[in-house]
Amino acid sequence: MSENLKLRLRFYSVCNKSTATIKKEFEDLKATVEPDYKIKMHDNHIWFTIDVLKREKYSPHLHIEMEEMEDGNTAINGLYGPDPVLWTFFMFLHFIIAGIFIIFSIIAYSKWNLNQKIFLDVTIMTAMVIFWFALYFFARYNRKRGIPQMEKLDELMKKVITT
């Protein structure tokens, strides 16, 4: 897998097969990899996931969108991403941290205008910034741990797209 894919989790490629052929080949692949990987298809979208028994909290998902081109080739847009439930939880935590930071910044400003002590409020705001950075580095760490599984999903996809 190229370093570019590790840094940019989106990719675009052109396959010299029709979307119907690609779907058929993914159906055949689905039967051979079923215990370890799940492949779901709907219209021109294909989702690859790691099976529940082998999935970790950092396991990536691969979403492929196929678009028929005028010359008979197929444009493929792909996106590697985290588990949607985990991503939603992370977004929830980010909003909670941002909300607490904003609330305590308003309280600190009001207290400062009234010449009251703001030490506790500034401490909580600082803690929220530290928590935000901790979430960021935890997400980067988990993405790095998911790279081997991302490479396995990439190999599966390339079995169909490049042959």
Side-chain angles (χ1 to χ4, degrees):
M1 174 181 281
S2 69
E3 283 294 317
N4 190 29
L5 191 56
K6 292 179 186 177
L7 296 175
R8 291 180 10 170
L9 301 176
R10 292 183 184 274
F11 64 91
Y12 174 83
S13 65
V14 176
C15 182
N16 59 359
K17 302 176 186 177
S18 69
T19 55
T21 304
I22 293 173
K23 285 181 193 179
K24 172 71 172 100
E25 289 180 11
F26 274 124
E27 281 291 338
D28 296 340
L29 180 66
K30 181 179 179 179
T32 62
V33 299
E34 194 63 54
D36 297 328
Y37 301 95
K38 298 291 182 199
I39 299 175
K40 296 179 185 176
M41 291 186 269
H42 181 62
D43 292 334
N44 287 342
H45 296 268
I46 301 171
W47 292 270
F48 291 85
T49 57
I50 309 293
D51 186 57
V52 175
L53 298 176
K54 294 187 178 194
R55 189 178 307 160
E56 299 290 337
K57 62 182 173 289
Y58 53 81
S59 293
H61 292 237
L62 172 59
H63 173 236
I64 295 174
E65 181 180 2
M66 300 178 295
E67 185 177 330
E68 192 79 36
M69 299 171 75
E70 292 177 6
D71 60 0
N73 293 334
T74 302
I76 297 173
N77 291 306
L79 172 66
Y80 289 95
D83 179 29
V85 174
L86 180 67
W87 186 86
T88 304
F89 178 67
F90 259 79
M91 288 297 99
F92 174 74
L93 289 178
H94 280 282
F95 286 124
I96 293 297
I97 288 171
I100 291 171
F101 181 86
I102 290 169
I103 288 169
F104 277 92
S105 65
I106 292 169
I107 292 170
Y109 178 73
S110 298
K111 285 183 177 180
W112 179 72
N113 275 337
L114 297 172
N115 294 323
Q116 296 178 355
K117 294 180 182 179
I118 60 170
F119 178 76
L120 178 64
D121 303 314
V122 172
T123 303
I124 292 173
M125 289 168 48
T126 304
M128 292 303 109
V129 170
I130 291 169
F131 287 151
W132 181 79
F133 276 109
L135 275 179
Y136 173 78
F137 287 115
F138 183 70
R140 297 289 294 196
Y141 174 70
N142 275 341
R143 179 163 51 162
K144 192 176 197 177
R145 287 176 61 192
I147 287 175
Q149 290 181 334
M150 188 170 71
E151 289 172 346
K152 297 280 187 189
L153 293 175
D154 194 55
E155 286 174 22
L156 277 177
M157 176 200 58
K158 286 183 178 176
K159 281 183 182 179
V160 171
I161 292 179
T162 58
T163 58

